[in-house]
Amino acid sequence: MVDDIKKTALAVVTALITAVSAQLSFKIGPVPYTMQNFGVMLSGFLLGPYYGLLSMAIYLALIAFSLPIAAGGGGLGVLIGPTAGFLYGFLISSFLAGVFRRAIWREGSRREVLMLWLSTLVASMPIYLLGFFVFYNFAMIDEKLLIRSESAVRAFNLSFSSPTMVIFAATVLIFLPQDFFVDHLLAVLVFRYVHRMLNERGVEVD
């Protein structure tokens, strides 16, 4: 019971970390650059699959209650808008991050650090796939979103003739380097630090 209460409290904390990381953003297109993937991965690493998912559910609930903690603000409109797919992907990705951490992590060796970091490529896929799918359906009926996507892609010196590829690049491709080399790596390193600190105090991460 006490352990469940502690994990629930930590789920709230990691939800708030995700909220803060959403504010570290800038826009070059219809989908803003943020550091939210850091909070998503960290929640799964620290809390495991189920409480990691709970953390992201708390985050979405706070958005639904109109707290301006998403990159696009707050309210139900954010959860049914063009970028809503990314937010719903957080639920699955935090779960997967927890699954991979349990499967990989033992003593925190360099190999485990590398393997956990590489696992984020798979764990983050639901974010990108749901984000692309939802945004694509909006962009196909809203020319402004497509035009903004083309502008974002051109900013990276990319060019595609297919609207599908333009949208995929604007919602997925241009985000992969930053997410993997910054957000995901930072989440792994922070988890390793916290894991060592807890071990020194005789606290085991489930």
Side-chain angles (χ1 to χ4, degrees), residues 45 50 194:
F45 293 160
Y50 298 105
V194 173

Side-chain angles (χ1 to χ4, degrees), residues 7 58 64 76 117 129 176 206:
K7 284 187 175 181
I58 292 170
L76 291 176
W117 182 34
L129 294 178
L176 286 173
D206 181 18

Side-chain angles (χ1 to χ4, degrees), residues 1-83:
M1 180 67 176
V2 173
D3 194 44
D4 289 341
I5 293 174
K6 288 181 179 178
K7 284 187 175 181
T8 301
L10 280 174
V12 174
V13 170
T14 51
L16 294 177
I17 289 173
T18 307
V20 171
S21 64
Q23 310 313 308
L24 303 173
S25 67
F26 64 92
K27 295 183 178 180
I28 59 168
V31 180
Y33 264 84
T34 75
M35 288 194 67
Q36 285 172 291
N37 274 27
F38 163 71
V40 176
M41 295 297 125
L42 186 63
S43 68
F45 293 160
L46 286 175
L47 299 170
Y50 298 105
Y51 279 91
L53 187 153
L54 174 63
S55 174
M56 293 301 100
I58 292 170
Y59 176 59
L60 296 189
L62 294 174
I63 293 173
F65 281 108
S66 296
L67 272 69
I69 56 174
L76 291 176
V78 175
L79 297 178
I80 60 173
T83 59

